[in-house]
Amino acid sequence: MRTVEVRVPATSANLGPGFDALGLALTLYDHVEAAVTDEPGVTVEVEGEGAGQVDSGEGHLVVRAMRRTFDRMGAAQPAGIRLRCRNRIPHARGLGSSSGAICAGILAARALGGGELGDDAVFALATEMEGHPDNVAPCLAGGLTIAWSEHDDAPRMVKLTPDAAVRPVAIVPPTRLDTETARGLLPKDVPHKDASFNTGRAALLIAALTQRPDRELLLAATEDRLHQPYRAPAMRESADLVERLRTVGVPAVVSGAGPTVLAFSTSDTQDLIAPEVGTDWHIQLMDVDPVGASVQFPETR
């Protein structure tokens, strides 16, 4: 039996104006211990998030990602797969839990399968499975990422290092929202002035996060007209919280497709967040994860 351990960070995509392009890796992690065996069958143990809820067989997302990776490498499928998942990333909350599972499965299979799969191919397969690259990019690379697709649909990314003063705060509600449901609320076309508005804000956000993370610049830089207004009816409480936080001067956005709210805490806003949050929400102060997913063989630790 061969075993590998993979750690994947939570991620927040969009960050307001950077729809389907910007992503941030966060210091909240899922740990996956994966083994391939000669004994037929799939065994999945889950602790924490998703325990007793997610598929415990071939339908588990990590298993599916491993199977796809073995095929992509041209490696033989193992007779058996054993997984032990210790999950802290909330499911269906806009913090990249599915991207984390996909990346964990791909990296585990690459480490165990004996085939060749470069980092670009890992990124491409993860994007293929997830549907878009904005969450898988920071999950794999860490830091702040800008992701895009070339004309041949090949995904690309650039990794940036945020200023050390950037302190993300995830405000997680008890309710869930399926990403496809949230994406289905978006119109096919948007006004040219709104697209232009977001282009400027996304560029400003890069400058704010990497060079000048003060609240005035972050407040302006996190404004959005392309997705949050259209999704607000499906997550009214999240939209209201974003509005309340921004009114008192806290740069806040919907994390990914929601319903988690992501705020950027600065020295003059850290005491303003809790009074605006209801008791049912969980406030998680984090840092930016600098390295992304990591792979370790237990016997070499």
Side-chain angles (χ1 to χ4, degrees):
M1 185 171 67
R2 291 168 291 156
T3 304
V4 68
E5 294 181 1
V6 184
R7 187 185 79 166
V8 288
T11 54
S12 181
N14 302 328
L15 308 181
F19 180 66
D20 275 4
L22 299 184
L24 195 66
L26 307 171
T27 53
L28 181 68
Y29 303 98
D30 282 355
H31 294 79
V32 175
E33 181 181 296
V36 293
T37 74
D38 294 329
E39 297 179 7
V42 172
T43 301
V44 179
E45 298 178 13
V46 178
E47 301 175 14
E49 292 287 336
Q53 299 174 340
V54 297
D55 194 297
S56 59
E58 290 284 354
H60 192 279
L61 188 51
V62 174
V63 175
R64 284 160 36 208
M66 291 181 70
R67 296 290 195 197
R68 286 277 290 272
T69 307
F70 290 132
D71 286 342
R72 186 63 55 93
M73 292 189 301
Q77 289 287 344
I81 293 176
R82 294 182 183 178
L83 293 183
R84 183 184 177 192
C85 305
R86 291 177 287 124
N87 297 339
R88 293 187 62 206
I89 305 173
H91 288 192
R93 302 297 208 291
L95 288 171
S97 61
S98 63
S99 293
I102 288 168
C103 292
I106 293 172
L107 293 173
R110 180 173 73 167
L112 295 170
E116 293 294 330
L117 198 70
D119 290 344
D120 288 345
V122 167
F123 182 35
L125 179 56
T127 300
E128 182 183 313
M129 291 194 67
E130 178 67 5
H132 34 87
D134 50 343
N135 276 112
V136 297
C139 184
L140 291 170
L144 170 67
T145 57
I146 308 170
W148 73 98
S149 297
E150 296 288 359
H151 297 299
D152 60 357
D153 290 331
R156 296 288 183 267
M157 75 164 103
V158 170
K159 175 183 175 180
L160 302 174
T161 301
D163 189 283
V166 173
R167 298 298 306 277
V169 181
I171 309 168
V172 186
T175 55
R176 299 184 176 193
L177 180 63
D178 180 77
T179 299
E180 292 307 313
T181 299
R183 190 166 284 269
L185 297 172
L186 301 178
K188 293 183 179 179
D189 301 294
V190 296
H192 186 277
K193 64 178 182 179
D194 289 346
S196 175
F197 178 94
N198 268 54
T199 299
R201 292 306 194 276
L204 183 61
L205 182 57
I206 296 299
L209 290 176
T210 59
Q211 300 178 32
R212 211 183 91 192
D214 60 73
R215 73 167 175 174
E216 289 78 12
L217 198 59
L218 283 168
L219 271 170
T222 49
E223 291 182 299
D224 161 67
R225 294 182 181 176
L226 288 188
H227 65 103
Q228 292 179 150
Y230 299 105
R231 289 169 164 171
M235 52 180 115
R236 192 71 264 168
E237 292 182 347
S238 299
D240 290 345
L241 177 57
V242 168
E243 184 176 354
R244 292 198 306 274
L245 288 171
R246 297 184 67 85
T247 297
V248 299
V250 178
V253 298
V254 173
S255 179
T260 291
V261 170
L262 187 78
F264 292 104
S265 174
T266 59
S267 58
D268 52 354
T269 64
Q270 57 188 7
D271 294 330
L272 301 176
I273 295 175
E276 303 299 328
V277 179
T279 57
D280 290 338
W281 298 61
H282 174 66
I283 300 176
Q284 179 87 41
L285 176 63
M286 293 176 284
D287 289 311
V288 177
D289 172 88
V291 298
S294 62
V295 177
Q296 197 169 41
F297 290 93
E299 61 271 20
T300 63
R301 286 187 306 183

